Amino acid sequence: MDKLRIIGGKPLIGKIRASGAKNSALPILAASLLTDQTLRICNVPHLRDITTTVELLGRMGADIEIDARLNVEINTKNIKDYVAPYELVRTMRASILVLGPLLARFGQADVSLPGGCAIGLRPVNLHIAALEALGATITIENGFLKARSKGRLKGNDFTFENITVTGTENLLMAATLAEGTTIIRNAACEPEVVDLANCLTAMGAKIEGAGTPVIEIQGVVSLYGATHRVIPDRIETATYLAAGVITSGKVTIRDTRPDFLTAILEKFTDMGAHITIEDDSITADMQGRRPKAVDITTGPYPEFPTDMQAQFAAINAIAQGRGIITENIFENRFMHVLEMQRMGAQMHIDKNTVTCFGQDKLSGAPVMATDLRASASLVLAALAAHGETIVHRIYHIDRGYECIEEKLQQLGADIHRV
Ligand code: EPU
């Protein structure tokens, strides 16, 4: 199994380009199930979760072409199978995103239940409630969600009990082909939801309010093909900026969207980074200084994202002072803390908070990645630590970071896959 070997202690300096957003590309790939015409998706990142989704669509009978620049063309005219099997859903929970589109276009979908997850329970009750509100019948049989609809789904006024990103996306996709109007209340406002809505609109959907808590969709009888370019990945962008901050370096990310990162950039500034924004690029410059610890509280967009919590824990581990991290989205997202403690971090977990007492230095150690963002945080900690760190189980990182070692090498990091 691949590992990453990192020798830390060097300030990272340089410029890299942001990849396309994983969490946009995944629902947009699923949206190809809503039409019998070809959907062309550009700026798709080269990631394991993308390959898994492409495999899932391929098994259902989709025709897929991918060119050298990772533009993906999908045609789902010949779909013959409406099943998302356990072996794929198990490795990628986002497979649940095929539920809404399959149900809306074909009136049936069998999606394996995702099961346990390293970052918490992550149930699917809200996806079920939302689709039932459009008239679907959903049962659980043999570990599968079996969703059926007699005729077209029916538009409805639905309020999510809690904000859910993929739940909002599933309902949004299903509603595009439903009869009449659907109103989604307490919708997720993440830029990835807006990107999906923009793609659906290009396919002929009638959507208003994406990016706000109330989205209104006028159902149409059919959608058509389109070309859509996926937005830049804000979490990837922020993770590489964090690599600059944690090593007291200076990192520029090009081809990104600074407006998606407001809450994160404020925290980098509080840490002492000098942030410069120019059109589509962001520079974080520590001017050689050690970062200052900050308090972080995660919440739905536009609040501070849970997907950056672990990376900020890594910075707090070596920062000046004490920082308190409060995780409000997932109940078990502190696995990285135990690994960082093995590198010398002083951190104490109490329910959903971690108090970090910044140390002058961390020391390299063998560590184990437990989920995608936890792995990223361990790589960051290793970049700042003295000596060698081996990060095991890096298949997690390949789910969400395209060419991570090449990009970090471009910034001057001593990192190799072994
Ligand atoms: N929840 C329920 N019931 C549901 C759905 C969600 O109780 O039916 C709860 C979850 O357990 C969680 C909260 O609602 O406590 C929010 O979860 P959400 O549904 O928003 O998460 P998600 O849609 O499964 C997406 C991202 C995650 C990201 C979260 C939160 C994708 C493919 N995944 O997950 O990304 O952490 O939103 O922003 O968009 C990652 O990229 O590393 C990642 C985990």
Side-chain angles (χ1 to χ4, degrees), residues 234 237-238 241 256-266 282:
R234 64 195 164 101
T237 297
L241 292 174
T256 189
R257 282 283 301 265
D259 54 320
F260 295 159
L261 282 99
T262 307
I264 302 169
L265 297 181
E266 269 171 24
I282 308 172

Side-chain angles (χ1 to χ4, degrees), residues 97 129 408:
L97 285 164
L408 287 172

Side-chain angles (χ1 to χ4, degrees), residues 287-306:
Q287 296 169 334
R289 290 187 304 260
R290 178 181 173 192
K292 291 192 276 256
V294 294
D295 295 341
I296 296 289
T297 303
T298 66
Y301 190 85
E303 292 174 48
F304 189 91
T306 173

Side-chain angles (χ1 to χ4, degrees), residues 210-233:
T212 76
V214 182
I215 308 179
E216 187 171 325
I217 305 112
Q218 304 278 348
V220 294
V221 174
S222 61
L223 295 177
Y224 38 82
T227 296
H228 181 80
R229 187 176 170 81
V230 172
I231 56 170
D233 196 312

Side-chain angles (χ1 to χ4, degrees), residues 12-14 16 240-241 243-244 249-253 282-285 411:
L12 297 199
I13 296 169
I16 50 175
Y240 289 115
L241 292 174
K250 178 181 177 185
V251 166
T252 299
I253 312 296
I282 308 172
T283 301
D285 184 0
L411 300 175

Side-chain angles (χ1 to χ4, degrees), residues 82-372:
Y82 313 111
V83 181
Y86 180 66
E87 70 263 27
L88 293 181
V89 179
R90 186 174 60 91
T91 62
M92 193 194 59
R93 215 182 158 277
S95 315
I96 189 83
L97 285 164
V98 300
L99 184 63
L102 282 177
L103 189 60
R105 179 157 153 231
F106 304 103
Q108 57 174 306
D110 292 358
V111 178
S112 172
L113 282 167
C117 169
I119 62 174
L121 278 173
R122 301 183 81 185
V124 290
N125 59 315
L126 302 174
H127 296 247
I128 297 175
L131 295 170
E132 282 179 343
L134 298 196
T137 310
I138 303 184
T139 52
I140 297 178
E141 286 170 42
N142 309 108
F144 274 80
L145 284 176
K146 288 190 181 273
R148 299 289 180 270
S149 163
K150 285 203 187 92
R152 280 174 79 190
L153 292 168
K154 308 266 181 305
N156 200 349
D157 190 328
F158 181 79
T159 304
F160 276 107
E161 203 178 288
N162 293 310
I163 297 179
T164 156
V165 177
T166 50
T168 300
E169 292 166 345
N170 245 332
L171 179 55
L172 175 61
M173 289 190 277
T176 59
L177 291 181
E179 215 174 294
T181 304
T182 299
I183 298 177
I184 308 178
R185 295 183 201 275
N186 204 23
C189 301
E190 268 67 4
E192 294 76 21
V193 174
V194 179
D195 200 28
L196 170 66
N198 288 340
C199 176
L200 293 169
T201 303
M203 294 165 73
K206 305 264 177 275
I207 301 168
E208 273 177 35
T212 76
V214 182
I215 308 179
E216 187 171 325
I217 305 112
Q218 304 278 348
V220 294
V221 174
S222 61
L223 295 177
Y224 38 82
T227 296
H228 181 80
R229 187 176 170 81
V230 172
I231 56 170
D233 196 312
R234 64 195 164 101
I235 304 300
E236 191 215 22
T237 297
T239 301
Y240 289 115
L241 292 174
V245 171
I246 200 170
T247 60
S248 306
K250 178 181 177 185
V251 166
T252 299
I253 312 296
R254 290 186 289 115
D255 297 341
T256 189
R257 282 283 301 265
D259 54 320
F260 295 159
L261 282 99
T262 307
I264 302 169
L265 297 181
E266 269 171 24
K267 290 296 172 184
F268 282 141
T269 304
D270 293 348
M271 287 183 142
H274 188 71
I275 301 288
T276 322
I277 293 173
E278 264 173 60
D279 301 329
D280 61 356
S281 84
I282 308 172
T283 301
D285 184 0
M286 288 304 287
Q287 296 169 334
R289 290 187 304 260
R290 178 181 173 192
K292 291 192 276 256
V294 294
D295 295 341
I296 296 289
T297 303
T298 66
Y301 190 85
E303 292 174 48
F304 189 91
T306 173
D307 289 345
M308 279 306 294
Q309 178 261 108
Q311 298 88 319
F312 270 71
I315 308 179
N316 272 349
I318 56 94
Q320 216 166 4
R322 188 192 72 167
I324 299 175
I325 293 183
T326 308
E327 171 58 58
N328 287 328
I329 305 291
F330 293 114
E331 72 275 19
N332 185 26
R333 215 177 191 184
F334 288 144
M335 305 292 276
H336 48 280
V337 169
L338 308 173
E339 297 299 303
M340 285 178 202
Q341 284 170 340
R342 304 182 56 252
M343 301 174 75
Q346 291 294 320
M347 295 179 166
H348 302 292
I349 304 177
D350 181 19
K351 300 194 187 81
N352 70 329
T353 65
V354 179
T355 307
C356 316
F357 300 93
Q359 301 300 298
D360 290 342
K361 62 174 192 183
L362 296 180
S363 48
V367 290
M368 182 94 80
T370 48
D371 74 67
L372 168 56

